[in-house]
């Protein structure tokens, strides 16, 4: 049996155990403190800057800050430390720091960060975001008496104003910024009525959309992209791509109807239904009318028009001898489309003038067009007018004989009429009769103002501006007038129309064509990629009308 320990020994053992216990506690506390301190250091570096070590590669990042610091991205799932250097505050992710003195911008919900543009860092404090008009136009604000009105149910024109976070500063609100730029009392009460939805009509409507209230009126429910009409007459899969519905682009700002009369004294128009509509500014953009297949009758639906084009394509496919009456742009492009799809057709072009196309194009362009078509065996009869055109069935396969005023006779299985267009202004003969020239075009000045009338304008193919009537010019006139109406409402000077150099592109099928650009004659390579490949179908569906191209 072991002897009992003395009190002194027991005391030393207890003291030693107490010391060992304290030592272990101290070690545990030190280890925990070291890890905690390391975590804090690691957290404090997330999202801030650090000086590169001497071993850093000499190739510096292009985003190096002026102080030579490199940004360090936080680890995924971690939370940056709230400690931020007051000297170099950490910017919000995806944004640029504002310069000293610039207006601070509130944060927006993530769902809106892709729809709004913040002012440039070089803009003075409080300046309106004028250089981002394109983005603001895309969002399209609808002006009413109190500034901008919300998107209306059923309106498909993308006019909804973006929402701003509750804490947003009024200075940064898109509504306030836009109203400050375009929110005059005149603009708030303006109503622009556009009669005609051709190239000029949709150009001014798209430019006004989101800025000034307007109504677009047309007898058809669709925009006919007649640049592609002649290919539609040859290829059955193409016609459906040339009819674009108005409603999906303009919503309630489009009204299908036919204008019966105009009363300029009380600023109203009268529709065939008897309905009247008041305006502050009236834009006449009724364009031109012409024979099928270059144009379609505005009394038929898109489905009926497509069926008619497909039927003509079948007639062309079965015909052996085809006579095209007219050697202007339409006649030449139709000839090229036919021969690009059916190389062995016997095609004759009869033109009433000495030269193809018109006198505005260079002789070299006409020569190049004739050379290209002559390779397919095309016969040209120039400076002779068809005298029995009214007796000949057109666009229908039927054996017939075409006779000219010079005594020439040509047998044909199919006759297609491409005899040009005339201004569509008959409806204005009552009140605007004195404003029309001998050819029926509306007389305007360099601002497109109808002679002697205030707040009435005419653009595109229906006016008497001395330039070739083509979609490119009509579009330019519509966009300029939209800007000028805005300037007029803001009491600013309007800009006059100036005619530039003629630019013309003539397609001869999907892979061929000739262009005249600033006095230069260009062949198939550039013409194909600029126009011939798809005849601007994708541009008008997606960029202009903001819709998807049908397959």
């Amino acid at each position: 049996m072991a002897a009992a320990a003395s009190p002194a020994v027991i005391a030393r053992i207890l003291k030693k155990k107490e010391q060992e216990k304290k030592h272990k506690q101290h070690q545990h506390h030190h280890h925990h403190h070291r890890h905690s301190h390391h975590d804090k250091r690691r957290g404090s570096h997330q999202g801030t800057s650090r000086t590169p070590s001497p071993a850093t590669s000499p190739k510096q990042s292009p985003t190096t800050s002026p102080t030579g610091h490199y940004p360090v991205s936080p680890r995924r799932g971690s939370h940056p430390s709230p400690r931020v250097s007051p000297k170099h505050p950490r910017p919000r992710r995806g944004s640029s720091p504002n310069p000293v003195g610039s207006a601070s911008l509130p944060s927006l919900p993530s769902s809106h960060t892709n729809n709004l543009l913040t002012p440039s860092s070089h803009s003075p404090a409080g300046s309106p975001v004028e250089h981002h008009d394109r983005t603001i136009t895309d969002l399209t604000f609808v002006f009413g008496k109190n500034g901008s009105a919300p998107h209306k149910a059923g309106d498909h024109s993308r006019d909804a104003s973006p929402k701003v976070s509750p804490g947003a500063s009024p200075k940064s609100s898109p509504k306030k910024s836009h109203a400050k730029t375009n929110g005059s009392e005149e603009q708030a009460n303006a109503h622009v009525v556009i009669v005609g939805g051709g190239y000029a009509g949709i150009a001014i409507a798209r430019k006004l959309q989101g800025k000034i209230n307007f109504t677009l009126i047309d007898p058809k429910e669709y925009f006919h992209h007649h640049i592609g009409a002649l290919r539609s007459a040859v290829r059955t899969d193409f016609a459906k791509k040339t009819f674009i519905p108005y409603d999906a682009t303009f919503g309630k700002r489009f009204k299908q109807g036919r204008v019966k009369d105009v009363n300029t004294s009380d600023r109203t128009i009268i529709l065939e239904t008897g309905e009247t509509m008041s305006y502050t500014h009236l834009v006449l953009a009724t364009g031109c009318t012409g024979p099928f297949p270059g144009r379609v009758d505005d009394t038929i639906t898109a489905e009926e028009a497509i069926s008619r084009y497909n039927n003509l394509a079948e007639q062309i496919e079965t015909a052996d001898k085809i006579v095209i009456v007219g050697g202007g742009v339409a006649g030449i492009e139709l000839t090229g489309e036919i021969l690009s799809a059916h190389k062995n057709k016997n095609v004759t072009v009869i033109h009433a003038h000495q030269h193809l196309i018109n006198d505005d194009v260079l002789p070299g362009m006409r020569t190049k067009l004739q050379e290209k078509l002559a390779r397919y065996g095309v016969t040209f009869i120039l400076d002779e007018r068809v005298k029995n055109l009214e007796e000949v069935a057109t666009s229908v396969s039927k054996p017939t004989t075409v006779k000219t005023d010079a005594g020439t006779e040509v047998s044909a299985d199919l006759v297609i009429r491409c005899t040009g267009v005339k201004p569509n202004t008959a409806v204005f003969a009552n009140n605007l009769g004195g404003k029309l020239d001998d050819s029926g075009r509306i007389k305007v000045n360099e601002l497109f103002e109808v002679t002697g009338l205030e707040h009435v304008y005419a653009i595109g193919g229906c006016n008497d501006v001395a330039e070739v009537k083509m979609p490119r010019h009509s579009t330019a006139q519509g966009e300029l007038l939209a800007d000028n109406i805005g300037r007029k409402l803001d009491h600013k000077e309007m800009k006059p129309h100036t005619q530039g150099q003629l630019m013309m592109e003539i397609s001869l099928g999907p892979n061929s064509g000739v262009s005249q650009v600033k006095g230069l004659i260009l062949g198939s390579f550039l013409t194909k990629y600029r126009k011939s490949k798809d005849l601007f179908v994708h541009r008008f569906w997606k960029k202009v009308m903001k819709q998807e191209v049908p397959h």
Side-chain angles (χ1 to χ4, degrees), residues 227 231 329 332-333 336-337 364-365 368-369 372 470 472 503-517 520-537 539:
I227 294 176
R231 185 165 298 172
V329 174
I332 294 302
E333 287 201 334
E337 292 292 344
M365 185 172 188
K368 201 170 187 68
L369 285 168
K372 283 180 173 292
M470 54 193 300
R472 176 179 287 107
M503 177 178 176
M504 184 174 287
E505 298 159 318
I506 297 181
S507 173
L508 299 177
N511 299 304
S512 183
V514 181
S515 298
Q516 176 179 318
V517 182
L520 299 176
I521 307 301
L522 307 176
S524 296
F525 181 78
L526 290 177
T527 308
K528 170 185 175 180
Y529 287 100
R530 282 188 54 83
K531 178 183 178 181
S532 301
K533 192 173 182 180
D534 81 333
L535 301 176
F536 308 123
V537 161
R539 176 191 296 181

Side-chain angles (χ1 to χ4, degrees), residues 193-414:
V193 172
I194 306 165
V195 181
Y199 290 96
I202 65 170
I204 185 171
R206 288 289 293 131
K207 203 76 186 290
L208 292 176
Q209 197 168 17
K211 298 178 182 178
I212 299 171
N213 184 36
F214 70 90
T215 300
L216 175 66
I217 303 174
D218 196 275
K220 308 181 298 298
E221 81 275 15
Y222 53 83
F223 164 68
H224 182 212
H225 177 54
H226 63 71
I227 294 176
L230 303 169
R231 185 165 298 172
S232 300
V234 179
R235 302 175 187 267
T236 55
D237 62 337
F238 201 80
K240 62 184 178 182
K241 300 178 182 179
T242 62
F243 295 93
I244 311 176
Y246 291 118
D247 184 67
T249 299
F250 300 111
K252 292 184 178 179
R253 284 172 184 72
F254 168 68
K255 183 175 184 62
Q256 185 175 358
R258 191 182 301 275
V259 174
K260 178 181 178 181
D261 209 347
V262 176
N263 190 334
T264 58
S265 59
D266 62 359
R267 296 192 186 184
T268 59
I269 62 168
I270 301 95
L271 302 180
E272 284 187 342
T273 58
E275 179 184 355
T276 62
M277 183 179 296
S278 61
Y279 65 84
T280 58
H281 300 75
L282 177 64
V283 179
L284 308 178
T286 49
C288 300
T289 61
F292 181 82
R295 297 289 199 278
V296 294
D297 189 345
D298 61 15
T299 62
I300 64 177
T301 65
E303 290 75 16
E304 292 170 335
I306 291 170
S307 177
R308 189 175 181 188
Y309 274 112
N310 289 341
N311 180 61
L312 178 57
E314 294 173 0
Q315 305 277 333
I316 290 173
E317 187 175 5
T318 58
D320 293 324
K321 294 178 291 185
I322 301 173
V323 171
I324 295 177
V325 182
V329 174
I332 294 302
E333 287 201 334
L334 179 58
T335 302
E337 292 292 344
I338 291 174
L339 293 172
S340 69
H342 311 287
K343 294 181 172 56
N344 297 322
K345 296 293 181 184
N346 183 340
V347 180
T348 300
V349 177
I350 303 176
H351 191 47
H353 303 283
Q354 187 176 0
H355 303 293
L356 293 176
I357 313 299
N358 54 55
D359 294 334
D360 295 287
V361 301
L362 296 173
M365 185 172 188
R366 288 193 288 264
T367 301
K368 201 170 187 68
L369 285 168
Q370 283 185 261
E371 288 175 350
K372 283 180 173 292
L373 293 176
R375 296 172 191 167
Y376 293 102
V378 176
T379 300
F380 292 96
I381 299 175
L382 303 179
D383 206 17
E384 294 185 28
R385 187 179 300 275
V386 176
K387 66 178 183 180
N388 66 332
L389 186 58
E390 301 303 325
E391 305 168 8
V392 174
T394 58
S395 301
V396 178
S397 291
K398 183 178 181 181
T400 188
T401 299
V402 179
K403 302 176 181 179
T404 73
D405 56 2
T408 303
E409 295 187 359
V410 182
S411 62
D413 299 322
L414 177 64

